[in-house]
Amino acid sequence: MKELSPTELRIPSAHGDVHALLLRPQAADWLYVLAHGAGAGMRHTFMDDIAGRLAARNIATLRYEYPYMTAGLKRPDRAPKNEAVTRAACDFAAHEFAAGERPLRLCAGGKSMGGRMTSQAQAAGALPRVEALVFLGFPLHRPGSVSAERAAHLHDVAVPMLFLQGTRDKLADLALMRSVTAELGTGATLHVVDGADHSFHVLKRSGRSEGEALDEMADAIATWLSAVPS
């Protein structure tokens, strides 16, 4: 069976064309508009790996890159600019892939910072046709500074949310994460990846590989999306 290859795209935005990669299996019903984390772009190994595993489960992905990363800068732009780029990516996905003869249902989110930019954009105003948010390591707080302040806006998100969090994540104290998702009610689901850190690396002594952890995550996303009401 021929391996599916991503298609390079350009997404128009107020901040210039945004680089993107589309991976769309023929049998896909969902498209995940997927943003990267603060320190690595859309072509990072983690992004490739999770997109490939989701494709194997018939979930399409539209990875896109924030302009600072494309420009080779280490420091992310301020949140309003990143949120605007996230909205442009979702606008593009809604126009190009959520209509027509074979429309895809849309979810959005991403790795760490990219997930938070997505939820902040959604809280400020519903992203077009986005039915759910999926977070790959929500950055609840800075390392060593446990606080739920970054989660305050999640109460303004009106679509279902899935949080995938590692037990060794220094940016999301697990007890606090459980409390946050419990307060959000039935609209929030927490999936705990045992032994994983913020990058979803697992220790060798855990008895399983990082590939197995990623498979677990992809399975969890596919199962959860299949239950999101249309």
Side-chain angles (χ1 to χ4, degrees):
M1 183 176 177
K2 186 178 179 180
E3 185 177 352
L4 189 64
S5 297
T7 301
E8 297 200 17
L9 300 173
R10 295 290 184 271
I11 298 173
S13 82
H15 302 285
D17 282 355
V18 175
H19 293 227
L21 293 171
L22 173 70
L23 198 61
R24 181 176 182 173
Q26 286 188 346
D29 292 317
W30 281 94
L31 173 66
Y32 182 15
V33 185
L34 176 58
H36 59 80
M42 67 179 180
R43 299 179 190 274
H44 186 266
T45 301
F46 173 84
M47 300 291 283
D48 279 336
D49 287 347
I50 196 66
R53 281 171 167 79
L54 290 172
R57 292 157 177 81
N58 288 319
I59 298 171
T61 53
L62 179 66
R63 286 177 275 166
Y64 63 96
E65 197 158 76
Y66 292 113
Y68 79 89
M69 183 64 66
T70 304
L73 303 177
K74 293 184 178 180
R75 185 181 181 86
D77 291 313
R78 293 186 179 276
K81 181 175 179 179
N82 289 333
E83 289 171 26
V85 170
T86 291
R87 188 169 296 277
C90 292
D91 285 343
F92 180 83
H95 183 268
E96 295 293 328
F97 306 114
E101 294 183 3
R102 189 70 171 85
L104 296 172
R105 298 176 71 184
L106 299 185
C107 65
K111 179 72 182 76
S112 193
M113 181 201 76
R116 185 163 69 96
M117 293 301 102
T118 305
S119 58
Q120 288 178 181
Q122 174 72 21
L127 297 167
R129 295 183 180 266
V130 169
E131 300 180 48
L133 301 185
V134 177
F135 305 101
L136 309 177
F138 187 85
L140 186 58
H141 51 72
R142 293 179 176 83
S145 181
V146 177
S147 166
E149 182 179 349
R150 288 182 177 177
H153 71 280
L154 296 173
H155 291 277
D156 296 323
V157 172
V159 297
M161 294 175 281
L162 173 64
F163 298 82
L164 293 102
Q165 304 288 154
T167 55
R168 297 190 300 116
D169 190 341
K170 294 183 179 179
L171 275 68
D173 177 81
L174 191 54
L176 183 56
M177 197 74 227
R178 292 187 190 278
S179 176
V180 166
T181 52
E183 288 180 8
L184 291 170
T186 57
T189 300
L190 174 62
H191 180 90
V192 176
V193 183
D194 189 45
D197 64 11
H198 188 64
S199 297
F200 295 99
H201 296 314
V202 295
L203 298 173
K204 289 184 178 180
R205 66 171 179 265
S206 69
R208 65 171 176 167
S209 68
E210 290 181 10
E212 289 171 327
L214 289 172
D215 281 331
E216 175 190 333
M217 293 168 64
D219 284 339
I221 294 168
T223 299
W224 184 79
L225 285 177
S226 70
V228 173
S230 57

